[in-house]
Short mmCIF file of all heavy atoms in Angstrom, two decimals:
data_model
loop_
_atom_site.label_atom_id
_atom_site.label_comp_id
_atom_site.label_asym_id
_atom_site.label_seq_id
_atom_site.Cartn_x
_atom_site.Cartn_y
_atom_site.Cartn_z
N VAL A 127 0.23 -8.90 16.04
CA VAL A 127 -0.40 -8.47 14.80
C VAL A 127 0.29 -9.12 13.59
O VAL A 127 -0.38 -9.61 12.67
CB VAL A 127 -0.37 -6.92 14.68
CG1 VAL A 127 -0.76 -6.47 13.29
CG2 VAL A 127 -1.29 -6.30 15.72
N VAL A 128 1.61 -9.13 13.61
CA VAL A 128 2.35 -9.71 12.48
C VAL A 128 2.10 -11.22 12.40
O VAL A 128 1.92 -11.77 11.31
CB VAL A 128 3.86 -9.37 12.58
CG1 VAL A 128 4.63 -10.05 11.46
CG2 VAL A 128 4.06 -7.86 12.51
N ALA A 129 2.06 -11.88 13.55
CA ALA A 129 1.77 -13.32 13.56
C ALA A 129 0.38 -13.58 12.99
O ALA A 129 0.17 -14.54 12.24
CB ALA A 129 1.88 -13.86 14.99
N SER A 130 -0.55 -12.73 13.33
CA SER A 130 -1.91 -12.88 12.83
C SER A 130 -1.95 -12.67 11.31
O SER A 130 -2.69 -13.37 10.59
CB SER A 130 -2.81 -11.87 13.54
OG SER A 130 -4.08 -11.85 12.98
N MET A 131 -1.15 -11.72 10.82
CA MET A 131 -1.07 -11.51 9.37
C MET A 131 -0.57 -12.77 8.68
O MET A 131 -1.08 -13.17 7.63
CB MET A 131 -0.11 -10.35 9.05
CG MET A 131 -0.65 -8.99 9.45
SD MET A 131 0.49 -7.65 9.06
CE MET A 131 0.16 -7.45 7.31
N GLN A 132 0.45 -13.38 9.28
CA GLN A 132 1.01 -14.57 8.64
C GLN A 132 0.00 -15.72 8.66
O GLN A 132 -0.10 -16.47 7.69
CB GLN A 132 2.32 -14.97 9.33
CG GLN A 132 2.94 -16.25 8.80
CD GLN A 132 3.25 -16.19 7.30
OE1 GLN A 132 3.02 -15.18 6.63
NE2 GLN A 132 3.74 -17.30 6.77
N THR A 133 -0.73 -15.89 9.74
CA THR A 133 -1.75 -16.94 9.81
C THR A 133 -2.79 -16.73 8.70
O THR A 133 -3.16 -17.68 7.99
CB THR A 133 -2.45 -16.93 11.19
OG1 THR A 133 -1.45 -17.10 12.18
CG2 THR A 133 -3.48 -18.03 11.30
N ALA A 134 -3.22 -15.49 8.53
CA ALA A 134 -4.22 -15.19 7.50
C ALA A 134 -3.63 -15.38 6.10
O ALA A 134 -4.30 -15.90 5.20
CB ALA A 134 -4.74 -13.77 7.67
N ALA A 135 -2.37 -14.96 5.92
CA ALA A 135 -1.73 -15.10 4.61
C ALA A 135 -1.58 -16.58 4.25
O ALA A 135 -1.81 -16.98 3.11
CB ALA A 135 -0.36 -14.41 4.61
N ARG A 136 -1.24 -17.38 5.24
CA ARG A 136 -1.09 -18.82 5.00
C ARG A 136 -2.45 -19.43 4.62
O ARG A 136 -2.54 -20.23 3.70
CB ARG A 136 -0.49 -19.48 6.24
CG ARG A 136 0.13 -20.83 5.95
CD ARG A 136 0.94 -21.32 7.14
NE ARG A 136 2.17 -20.58 7.30
CZ ARG A 136 2.81 -20.39 8.47
NH1 ARG A 136 2.30 -20.89 9.58
NH2 ARG A 136 3.94 -19.72 8.51
N GLU A 137 -3.47 -19.04 5.35
CA GLU A 137 -4.80 -19.57 5.04
C GLU A 137 -5.22 -19.20 3.62
O GLU A 137 -5.78 -20.01 2.89
CB GLU A 137 -5.82 -19.01 6.05
CG GLU A 137 -7.21 -19.59 5.81
CD GLU A 137 -8.27 -18.98 6.74
OE1 GLU A 137 -7.92 -18.23 7.66
OE2 GLU A 137 -9.46 -19.29 6.50
N ALA A 138 -4.91 -17.97 3.22
CA ALA A 138 -5.29 -17.52 1.88
C ALA A 138 -4.36 -18.06 0.81
O ALA A 138 -4.70 -18.05 -0.38
CB ALA A 138 -5.31 -15.99 1.83
N GLY A 139 -3.16 -18.49 1.22
CA GLY A 139 -2.19 -18.98 0.24
C GLY A 139 -1.47 -17.87 -0.49
O GLY A 139 -1.09 -18.02 -1.66
N VAL A 140 -1.25 -16.73 0.19
CA VAL A 140 -0.54 -15.62 -0.44
C VAL A 140 0.77 -15.35 0.32
O VAL A 140 0.92 -15.76 1.47
CB VAL A 140 -1.38 -14.32 -0.45
CG1 VAL A 140 -2.66 -14.52 -1.25
CG2 VAL A 140 -1.71 -13.85 0.98
N TYR A 141 1.69 -14.68 -0.34
CA TYR A 141 2.94 -14.30 0.27
C TYR A 141 3.03 -12.79 0.43
O TYR A 141 2.63 -12.06 -0.49
CB TYR A 141 4.13 -14.77 -0.57
CG TYR A 141 4.25 -16.27 -0.61
CD1 TYR A 141 3.70 -17.00 -1.67
CD2 TYR A 141 4.88 -16.96 0.42
CE1 TYR A 141 3.78 -18.37 -1.69
CE2 TYR A 141 4.96 -18.34 0.41
CZ TYR A 141 4.41 -19.04 -0.65
OH TYR A 141 4.48 -20.40 -0.67
N ILE A 142 3.55 -12.35 1.56
CA ILE A 142 3.85 -10.92 1.74
C ILE A 142 5.27 -10.73 1.25
O ILE A 142 6.22 -11.25 1.83
CB ILE A 142 3.66 -10.52 3.22
CG1 ILE A 142 2.19 -10.72 3.61
CG2 ILE A 142 4.11 -9.07 3.45
CD1 ILE A 142 1.88 -10.56 5.08
N VAL A 143 5.42 -10.02 0.11
CA VAL A 143 6.72 -9.98 -0.58
C VAL A 143 7.45 -8.65 -0.44
O VAL A 143 8.59 -8.53 -0.89
CB VAL A 143 6.57 -10.32 -2.08
CG1 VAL A 143 6.05 -11.74 -2.25
CG2 VAL A 143 5.68 -9.32 -2.81
N ALA A 144 6.83 -7.65 0.12
CA ALA A 144 7.51 -6.38 0.33
C ALA A 144 6.84 -5.66 1.48
O ALA A 144 5.64 -5.85 1.74
CB ALA A 144 7.45 -5.50 -0.92
N GLY A 145 7.61 -4.86 2.19
CA GLY A 145 7.05 -4.15 3.33
C GLY A 145 7.80 -2.86 3.58
O GLY A 145 8.87 -2.63 3.03
N ASP A 146 7.20 -2.03 4.41
CA ASP A 146 7.84 -0.78 4.80
C ASP A 146 7.34 -0.43 6.19
O ASP A 146 6.19 -0.71 6.54
CB ASP A 146 7.48 0.33 3.80
CG ASP A 146 8.24 1.62 4.10
OD1 ASP A 146 9.46 1.54 4.32
OD2 ASP A 146 7.62 2.68 4.11
N THR A 147 8.21 0.17 6.98
CA THR A 147 7.85 0.54 8.35
C THR A 147 8.24 1.98 8.60
O THR A 147 9.38 2.36 8.39
CB THR A 147 8.60 -0.36 9.36
OG1 THR A 147 8.32 -1.72 9.04
CG2 THR A 147 8.13 -0.09 10.76
N LYS A 148 7.27 2.78 9.03
CA LYS A 148 7.56 4.15 9.43
C LYS A 148 7.11 4.31 10.87
O LYS A 148 6.16 3.63 11.31
CB LYS A 148 6.80 5.15 8.54
CG LYS A 148 7.26 5.15 7.09
CD LYS A 148 8.59 5.86 6.87
CE LYS A 148 9.31 5.38 5.63
NZ LYS A 148 8.59 5.62 4.39
N VAL A 149 7.77 5.19 11.60
CA VAL A 149 7.39 5.48 12.98
C VAL A 149 7.05 6.96 13.07
O VAL A 149 7.81 7.79 12.57
CB VAL A 149 8.54 5.13 13.96
CG1 VAL A 149 8.12 5.44 15.39
CG2 VAL A 149 8.93 3.66 13.83
N VAL A 150 5.91 7.27 13.67
CA VAL A 150 5.54 8.67 13.90
C VAL A 150 5.49 8.93 15.41
O VAL A 150 5.31 8.00 16.20
CB VAL A 150 4.18 9.03 13.24
CG1 VAL A 150 4.28 8.94 11.72
CG2 VAL A 150 3.06 8.15 13.76
N GLN A 151 5.65 10.19 15.78
CA GLN A 151 5.72 10.55 17.20
C GLN A 151 4.41 10.21 17.92
O GLN A 151 3.35 10.19 17.31
CB GLN A 151 5.98 12.06 17.37
CG GLN A 151 7.34 12.53 16.89
CD GLN A 151 7.30 13.02 15.45
OE1 GLN A 151 6.40 12.66 14.69
NE2 GLN A 151 8.28 13.81 15.06
N LYS A 152 4.55 9.96 19.21
CA LYS A 152 3.40 9.67 20.06
C LYS A 152 2.32 10.73 19.83
O LYS A 152 2.61 11.92 19.78
CB LYS A 152 3.84 9.68 21.53
CG LYS A 152 2.95 8.82 22.40
CD LYS A 152 3.60 8.49 23.72
CE LYS A 152 2.60 7.75 24.61
NZ LYS A 152 2.14 6.49 23.99
N GLY A 153 1.09 10.28 19.63
CA GLY A 153 0.00 11.21 19.38
C GLY A 153 -0.28 11.43 17.91
O GLY A 153 -1.27 12.05 17.55
N ASN A 154 0.59 10.89 17.02
CA ASN A 154 0.38 11.08 15.58
C ASN A 154 -0.13 9.84 14.87
O ASN A 154 -0.17 9.79 13.64
CB ASN A 154 1.68 11.56 14.92
CG ASN A 154 1.93 13.04 15.19
OD1 ASN A 154 0.98 13.82 15.24
ND2 ASN A 154 3.17 13.41 15.38
N ALA A 155 -0.49 8.82 15.62
CA ALA A 155 -1.18 7.65 15.06
C ALA A 155 -1.84 6.99 16.26
O ALA A 155 -1.55 7.32 17.41
CB ALA A 155 -0.21 6.69 14.38
N ASP A 156 -2.72 6.06 16.02
CA ASP A 156 -3.45 5.43 17.10
C ASP A 156 -2.95 3.99 17.23
O ASP A 156 -3.65 3.06 16.83
CB ASP A 156 -4.94 5.50 16.79
CG ASP A 156 -5.79 5.04 17.97
OD1 ASP A 156 -5.24 4.87 19.06
OD2 ASP A 156 -7.01 4.86 17.78
N GLY A 157 -1.73 3.82 17.72
CA GLY A 157 -1.14 2.49 17.83
C GLY A 157 -0.43 2.12 16.55
O GLY A 157 0.76 2.29 16.41
N LEU A 158 -1.19 1.61 15.60
CA LEU A 158 -0.60 1.34 14.29
C LEU A 158 -1.67 1.31 13.22
O LEU A 158 -2.83 1.01 13.48
CB LEU A 158 0.21 0.04 14.26
CG LEU A 158 -0.53 -1.29 14.18
CD1 LEU A 158 0.39 -2.36 13.62
CD2 LEU A 158 -0.98 -1.71 15.57
N TYR A 159 -1.24 1.65 12.01
CA TYR A 159 -2.06 1.56 10.82
C TYR A 159 -1.33 0.64 9.84
O TYR A 159 -0.10 0.65 9.79
CB TYR A 159 -2.24 2.94 10.16
CG TYR A 159 -2.87 4.00 11.05
CD1 TYR A 159 -2.40 5.31 11.02
CD2 TYR A 159 -3.93 3.70 11.90
CE1 TYR A 159 -2.98 6.30 11.83
CE2 TYR A 159 -4.50 4.68 12.70
CZ TYR A 159 -4.03 5.97 12.67
OH TYR A 159 -4.60 6.94 13.46
N ILE A 160 -2.06 -0.14 9.10
CA ILE A 160 -1.44 -1.04 8.12
C ILE A 160 -2.12 -0.86 6.77
O ILE A 160 -3.34 -1.00 6.67
CB ILE A 160 -1.58 -2.53 8.51
CG1 ILE A 160 -1.08 -2.77 9.94
CG2 ILE A 160 -0.81 -3.42 7.53
CD1 ILE A 160 -1.30 -4.21 10.43
N THR A 161 -1.34 -0.53 5.76
CA THR A 161 -1.88 -0.47 4.41
C THR A 161 -1.33 -1.65 3.62
O THR A 161 -0.12 -1.81 3.49
CB THR A 161 -1.50 0.85 3.71
OG1 THR A 161 -2.00 1.93 4.50
CG2 THR A 161 -2.11 0.93 2.32
N THR A 162 -2.22 -2.49 3.15
CA THR A 162 -1.81 -3.64 2.35
C THR A 162 -2.22 -3.43 0.90
O THR A 162 -3.23 -2.80 0.60
CB THR A 162 -2.46 -4.94 2.87
OG1 THR A 162 -3.82 -4.67 3.19
CG2 THR A 162 -1.75 -5.48 4.08
N SER A 163 -1.39 -3.96 0.00
CA SER A 163 -1.74 -4.00 -1.41
C SER A 163 -1.60 -5.43 -1.87
O SER A 163 -0.84 -6.21 -1.29
CB SER A 163 -0.82 -3.10 -2.22
OG SER A 163 -0.98 -1.76 -1.81
N GLY A 164 -2.34 -5.76 -2.93
CA GLY A 164 -2.33 -7.15 -3.39
C GLY A 164 -2.33 -7.24 -4.90
O GLY A 164 -2.87 -6.37 -5.59
N VAL A 165 -1.71 -8.31 -5.38
CA VAL A 165 -1.66 -8.57 -6.81
C VAL A 165 -2.11 -10.02 -7.04
O VAL A 165 -1.70 -10.91 -6.31
CB VAL A 165 -0.22 -8.38 -7.36
CG1 VAL A 165 -0.11 -8.84 -8.80
CG2 VAL A 165 0.21 -6.93 -7.21
N GLY A 166 -2.95 -10.20 -8.03
CA GLY A 166 -3.38 -11.55 -8.38
C GLY A 166 -3.55 -11.68 -9.88
O GLY A 166 -3.65 -10.67 -10.59
N THR A 167 -3.58 -12.90 -10.36
CA THR A 167 -3.77 -13.13 -11.79
C THR A 167 -5.21 -13.54 -12.06
O THR A 167 -5.81 -14.30 -11.30
CB THR A 167 -2.83 -14.23 -12.30
OG1 THR A 167 -2.93 -15.35 -11.43
CG2 THR A 167 -1.39 -13.76 -12.33
N ILE A 168 -5.75 -13.02 -13.15
CA ILE A 168 -7.13 -13.34 -13.52
C ILE A 168 -7.11 -14.47 -14.54
O ILE A 168 -6.51 -14.33 -15.62
CB ILE A 168 -7.82 -12.10 -14.12
CG1 ILE A 168 -7.79 -10.94 -13.09
CG2 ILE A 168 -9.27 -12.41 -14.52
CD1 ILE A 168 -8.37 -9.65 -13.60
N PRO A 169 -7.78 -15.59 -14.24
CA PRO A 169 -7.76 -16.73 -15.16
C PRO A 169 -8.47 -16.37 -16.48
O PRO A 169 -9.39 -15.55 -16.49
CB PRO A 169 -8.54 -17.83 -14.42
CG PRO A 169 -8.61 -17.40 -13.01
CD PRO A 169 -8.54 -15.89 -13.01
N PRO A 170 -8.06 -16.99 -17.58
CA PRO A 170 -8.74 -16.76 -18.85
C PRO A 170 -10.23 -17.08 -18.73
O PRO A 170 -10.61 -18.01 -18.00
CB PRO A 170 -8.06 -17.75 -19.81
CG PRO A 170 -6.77 -18.10 -19.18
CD PRO A 170 -6.97 -17.98 -17.70
N GLY A 171 -11.05 -16.33 -19.41
CA GLY A 171 -12.49 -16.61 -19.41
C GLY A 171 -13.25 -15.91 -18.32
O GLY A 171 -14.48 -15.83 -18.37
N VAL A 172 -12.55 -15.39 -17.32
CA VAL A 172 -13.22 -14.66 -16.24
C VAL A 172 -13.47 -13.22 -16.71
O VAL A 172 -12.58 -12.58 -17.24
CB VAL A 172 -12.35 -14.66 -14.96
CG1 VAL A 172 -12.90 -13.69 -13.94
CG2 VAL A 172 -12.26 -16.07 -14.40
N ASP A 173 -14.71 -12.78 -16.54
CA ASP A 173 -15.06 -11.42 -16.96
C ASP A 173 -16.01 -10.82 -15.93
O ASP A 173 -17.22 -10.73 -16.13
CB ASP A 173 -15.71 -11.47 -18.35
CG ASP A 173 -15.97 -10.07 -18.91
OD1 ASP A 173 -15.28 -9.12 -18.47
OD2 ASP A 173 -16.87 -9.93 -19.76
N ILE A 174 -15.44 -10.43 -14.80
CA ILE A 174 -16.21 -9.98 -13.64
C ILE A 174 -15.98 -8.50 -13.41
O ILE A 174 -14.87 -8.02 -13.55
CB ILE A 174 -15.77 -10.80 -12.39
CG1 ILE A 174 -16.25 -12.25 -12.54
CG2 ILE A 174 -16.29 -10.17 -11.10
CD1 ILE A 174 -15.68 -13.20 -11.51
N GLY A 175 -17.04 -7.79 -13.06
CA GLY A 175 -16.90 -6.36 -12.75
C GLY A 175 -18.24 -5.80 -12.31
O GLY A 175 -19.30 -6.35 -12.65
N GLY A 176 -18.17 -4.69 -11.60
CA GLY A 176 -19.39 -4.08 -11.06
C GLY A 176 -20.36 -3.63 -12.14
O GLY A 176 -21.56 -3.44 -11.87
N ALA A 177 -19.89 -3.47 -13.36
CA ALA A 177 -20.75 -2.98 -14.45
C ALA A 177 -21.36 -4.12 -15.26
O ALA A 177 -21.99 -3.88 -16.29
CB ALA A 177 -19.93 -2.07 -15.36
N LYS A 178 -21.23 -5.36 -14.79
CA LYS A 178 -21.61 -6.50 -15.64
C LYS A 178 -22.88 -7.24 -15.19
O LYS A 178 -23.21 -8.30 -15.72
CB LYS A 178 -20.43 -7.46 -15.75
CG LYS A 178 -19.26 -6.79 -16.49
CD LYS A 178 -18.05 -7.68 -16.64
CE LYS A 178 -16.85 -6.86 -17.12
NZ LYS A 178 -16.92 -6.43 -18.52
N ALA A 179 -23.60 -6.68 -14.22
CA ALA A 179 -24.88 -7.30 -13.82
C ALA A 179 -25.89 -7.13 -14.95
O ALA A 179 -25.96 -6.08 -15.57
CB ALA A 179 -25.39 -6.62 -12.55
N LYS A 180 -26.67 -8.21 -15.19
CA LYS A 180 -27.64 -8.18 -16.30
C LYS A 180 -29.03 -8.48 -15.77
O LYS A 180 -29.19 -9.31 -14.86
CB LYS A 180 -27.27 -9.26 -17.33
CG LYS A 180 -26.00 -8.96 -18.10
CD LYS A 180 -25.64 -10.13 -19.02
CE LYS A 180 -24.30 -9.86 -19.71
NZ LYS A 180 -23.16 -9.68 -18.76
N PRO A 181 -30.05 -7.84 -16.35
CA PRO A 181 -31.42 -8.17 -15.94
C PRO A 181 -31.65 -9.68 -16.05
O PRO A 181 -31.24 -10.30 -17.03
CB PRO A 181 -32.27 -7.39 -16.95
CG PRO A 181 -31.41 -6.24 -17.35
CD PRO A 181 -30.01 -6.77 -17.37
N GLY A 182 -32.29 -10.23 -15.01
CA GLY A 182 -32.51 -11.67 -14.97
C GLY A 182 -31.51 -12.39 -14.09
O GLY A 182 -31.78 -13.50 -13.62
N ASP A 183 -30.37 -11.77 -13.82
CA ASP A 183 -29.35 -12.39 -12.96
C ASP A 183 -29.89 -12.60 -11.55
O ASP A 183 -30.76 -11.86 -11.08
CB ASP A 183 -28.10 -11.50 -12.87
CG ASP A 183 -27.21 -11.61 -14.10
OD1 ASP A 183 -27.49 -12.45 -14.98
OD2 ASP A 183 -26.23 -10.84 -14.17
N VAL A 184 -29.28 -13.58 -10.88
CA VAL A 184 -29.64 -13.90 -9.51
C VAL A 184 -28.57 -13.36 -8.56
O VAL A 184 -27.38 -13.40 -8.88
CB VAL A 184 -29.79 -15.43 -9.36
CG1 VAL A 184 -29.87 -15.85 -7.90
CG2 VAL A 184 -31.02 -15.90 -10.13
N ILE A 185 -29.02 -12.85 -7.39
CA ILE A 185 -28.08 -12.28 -6.42
C ILE A 185 -27.93 -13.22 -5.23
O ILE A 185 -28.91 -13.53 -4.54
CB ILE A 185 -28.57 -10.90 -5.94
CG1 ILE A 185 -28.80 -9.97 -7.15
CG2 ILE A 185 -27.58 -10.28 -4.96
CD1 ILE A 185 -29.48 -8.66 -6.81
N ILE A 186 -26.70 -13.66 -5.02
CA ILE A 186 -26.40 -14.57 -3.92
C ILE A 186 -25.59 -13.81 -2.87
O ILE A 186 -24.72 -13.02 -3.20
CB ILE A 186 -25.57 -15.78 -4.42
CG1 ILE A 186 -26.37 -16.59 -5.45
CG2 ILE A 186 -25.12 -16.67 -3.27
CD1 ILE A 186 -25.55 -17.65 -6.18
N LEU A 187 -25.91 -14.05 -1.59
CA LEU A 187 -25.14 -13.49 -0.48
C LEU A 187 -24.53 -14.68 0.27
O LEU A 187 -25.22 -15.65 0.56
CB LEU A 187 -26.08 -12.69 0.44
CG LEU A 187 -25.49 -12.14 1.75
CD1 LEU A 187 -24.44 -11.07 1.48
CD2 LEU A 187 -26.62 -11.57 2.63
N SER A 188 -23.24 -14.59 0.61
CA SER A 188 -22.55 -15.78 1.13
C SER A 188 -22.81 -16.09 2.60
O SER A 188 -22.35 -17.13 3.08
CB SER A 188 -21.05 -15.65 0.88
OG SER A 188 -20.52 -14.59 1.67
#
Side-chain angles (χ1 to χ4, degrees):
Chain A
V127 168
V128 176
S130 172
M131 290 180 80
Q132 176 58 1
T133 302
R136 199 169 288 152
E137 183 184 353
V140 299
Y141 293 96
I142 297 172
V143 297
D146 185 47
T147 305
K148 294 284 156 62
V149 180
V150 295
Q151 294 93 339
K152 206 163 174 60
N154 283 324
D156 189 10
L158 78 157
Y159 302 140
I160 308 176
T161 302
T162 41
S163 297
V165 172
T167 49
I168 302 177
V172 169
D173 185 24
I174 291 170
K178 295 180 192 287
K180 290 176 184 59
D183 281 354
V184 168
I185 304 171
I186 298 170
L187 174 67
S188 67

